[in-house]
Amino acid sequence: MMEFWLISVPLDKISCQSLEKLKRVAAKSGLATSSRFPVPELKVGTLDVLLGVSDDLSRLDSYTEGVMRQTSQCLGEVMEEFSGKLLESMLTNGVDLATYVTRFQWDRAKYSTAQPLKTLAEIISKQVSQVDSELKSRRAAYSHLKARIQNFERKTEGSLQTRALTNIVKKEDLVLNSEYLTTLLVVVPRTAYKQWEKTYESMSKFVVPRSSRKLVEDADAGIFTVTLFKCVISEFKANAKNHKFTVREYNPDEAEKQKLEMGRLAVDKKELYGTFVCWLKVNFSEIFVAWIHVKVLRTFVESVLRYGLPVSFQAVLLQPSKKSMKQLRQQLNSLFKHLDPAALTGKPDVGLELPDGSTGQQEYYTYICYPIKIHLVDPS
C-alpha cells in the first residue's frame, strides 16, 4: 500500500531552513521523497467558522475515504469475476492515483475557491452522499441478478437424482405429441446398469422393446430413457421404485422456459456488468478527487488555526520509505521542535495525530500543522 504524508509548516525563517534540511536528509538517506504541494488561497472566514469546518472536514474525510474504498472494493469484485484488469481501471483524470497526488492541482471548476470553506465542504459532502446512495442501489441490483443466475446454475449441479435436466435432455430424446406413447427418464445406479437392461421391458407389458437409451452419467448413476404407453406410467413407476430406480419428472415446456430465462439473465448480466463497471470507474475517480480535495481543505484550515493570520504556510508532500517511517518521524520531531507550544510555555498541547503504523499507537505533533496520511487503495 502506497502512503503519503501531507504536512505544512509556517513561512518563518527557521521553519523554512528546517524544511530544506529535511528534504536534503530525507533524499540523502532514502527516508522519503518530497515535493511542494499547492494549496490554493481560500476564504478564511471567522474563527468560529474555522473551528466548525475543522470538525466537519474531519468527519467528511473519514466518510469520503469509506465510500471510496467501498467503490474500489466493488470494482475489484466485479472485475475479478470477469477477469478484468483492476489496476488499469483505477485511474483519476486519466492517470494513476500516485501521479494524481504528486501532481495535484486544485480543481477550480468543481470547487470554486470563491466559495466559503463551509460551502466547499457541503458541496463535497453532497457529492459523496449521492455516490454512496447510488452505489448501494446499483450494487444491490447487480447482486440480485447474480444471485438469480447462481440459483439457476446450482440447479444444474449435484447428483442426477436432483439436478435440473434442462441442459441434458433434448427434444429429440423424447416422444412428443403422441396420443398414446410417452418417454420417461430413469436414474439408474452405475452398479445396476445390467439389471436395468434385463428388467426395464418387464416392468410393464406396454413398454416399447429396446427403447432404452443412456443420455448421461456421472460417478454414481446414469439417466436412461424408456418409451411406453401412457396408460401404464403408474405401474412402471411403482415397479421401477421396487428395483431402486428413480423416475425423474420432466416437463419439456418448462425446461425450454428455464433455458430461455437463463439466456436472458446471462445477457442482462453482461449488459449490467458493462454499465456498472463504467459507473464504478467514473465515480471511483470522482470520489478519489473529492477525497484529496478534502485533505487539502483540512490542511488549509488547520494551518490557519495553528499558525494564525495572515495566511502564511507551505504544504509539503512526503512519500516515506516503508522501512524508514520511524526515522522520518524522528527527523520531523527534531527539525520542527521549535514549533511546539509546550517547548515555549511548558504547557502541554492537545496536538494533532499521526498514527504510528509500526506500533499501533499514536504520536502527537504540536509543531507540524496537519500530518495527513493518504493511503492509496491497494488494487490487489
Side-chain angles (χ1 to χ4, degrees), residues 358-370:
S358 61
T359 65
Q361 299 174 344
Q362 292 178 340
E363 294 184 6
Y364 289 87
Y365 290 83
T366 56
Y367 42 83
I368 297 179
C369 169
Y370 202 76

Side-chain angles (χ1 to χ4, degrees), residues 249-265:
E249 297 296 331
Y250 182 78
N251 186 318
D253 294 333
E254 286 298 319
E256 188 63 25
K257 288 180 182 179
Q258 289 181 355
K259 189 179 292 186
L260 291 174
E261 178 67 11
M262 187 65 183
R264 282 194 295 268
L265 287 175

Side-chain angles (χ1 to χ4, degrees), residues 25-275:
V25 171
K28 185 176 180 179
S29 60
L31 294 179
T33 58
S34 63
S35 58
R36 290 289 294 271
F37 195 87
V39 176
E41 294 184 10
L42 300 168
K43 287 191 172 183
V44 176
T46 64
L47 177 60
D48 288 343
V49 170
L50 284 176
L51 291 171
V53 170
S54 176
D55 291 337
D56 293 342
L57 288 173
S58 178
R59 291 188 292 268
L60 180 58
D61 190 349
S62 299
Y63 177 50
T64 305
E65 182 176 4
V67 175
M68 179 191 68
R69 294 190 180 280
Q70 290 175 35
T71 306
S72 67
Q73 180 185 25
C74 189
L75 180 60
E77 291 171 356
V78 174
M79 295 199 69
E80 181 181 9
E81 185 179 353
F82 286 82
S83 300
K85 295 182 179 180
L86 178 60
L87 186 60
E88 295 178 3
S89 302
M90 297 178 67
L91 302 176
T92 298
N93 292 353
V95 299
D96 62 84
L97 307 185
T99 300
Y100 176 79
V101 173
T102 55
R103 299 179 184 176
F104 174 81
Q105 293 293 325
W106 183 272
D107 192 335
R108 298 176 186 273
K110 287 183 179 178
Y111 313 113
S112 172
T113 54
Q115 298 276 14
L117 291 169
K118 187 174 182 62
T119 301
L120 290 173
E122 289 172 348
I123 290 172
I124 295 177
S125 179
K126 183 178 180 180
Q127 176 190 2
V128 176
S129 179
Q130 288 176 341
V131 172
D132 186 21
S133 177
E134 190 169 355
L135 174 63
K136 292 175 181 176
S137 176
R138 287 177 176 267
R139 196 172 194 174
Y142 186 83
S143 297
H144 177 68
L145 180 60
K146 183 178 177 181
R148 290 180 62 192
I149 293 175
Q150 289 175 339
N151 185 46
F152 268 102
E153 291 174 344
R154 277 194 294 269
K155 292 179 180 179
T156 64
E157 299 171 352
S159 72
L160 293 175
Q161 296 279 358
T162 58
R163 65 188 291 186
L165 304 177
T166 305
N167 297 323
I168 295 175
V169 182
K170 301 176 182 178
K171 287 186 176 181
E172 51 265 33
D173 297 324
L174 309 172
V175 174
L176 301 173
N177 304 318
S178 171
E179 185 177 354
Y180 302 106
L181 295 175
T182 189
T183 301
L184 297 182
L185 303 171
V186 185
V187 180
V188 179
R190 290 182 71 113
T191 56
Y193 282 1
K194 291 183 179 180
Q195 182 188 3
W196 166 258
E197 293 294 340
K198 291 178 181 180
T199 60
Y200 81 88
E201 291 183 5
S202 62
M203 290 183 191
S204 172
K205 61 180 179 179
F206 291 120
V207 174
V208 177
R210 296 182 297 279
S211 62
S212 177
R213 185 168 69 87
K214 183 172 65 177
L215 295 184
V216 68
E217 66 180 356
D218 60 17
D220 300 315
I223 289 185
F224 290 77
T225 61
V226 59
T227 303
L228 66 164
F229 279 77
K230 294 179 179 179
C231 60
V232 296
I233 290 177
S234 296
E235 178 189 0
F236 185 91
K237 285 183 177 181
N239 288 327
K241 185 177 182 180
N242 291 335
H243 286 83
K244 302 189 182 305
F245 303 143
T246 304
V247 178
R248 291 289 309 272
E249 297 296 331
Y250 182 78
N251 186 318
D253 294 333
E254 286 298 319
E256 188 63 25
K257 288 180 182 179
Q258 289 181 355
K259 189 179 292 186
L260 291 174
E261 178 67 11
M262 187 65 183
R264 282 194 295 268
L265 287 175
V267 172
D268 290 346
K269 183 179 180 182
K270 186 175 181 180
E271 292 177 352
L272 184 58
Y273 164 79
T275 56

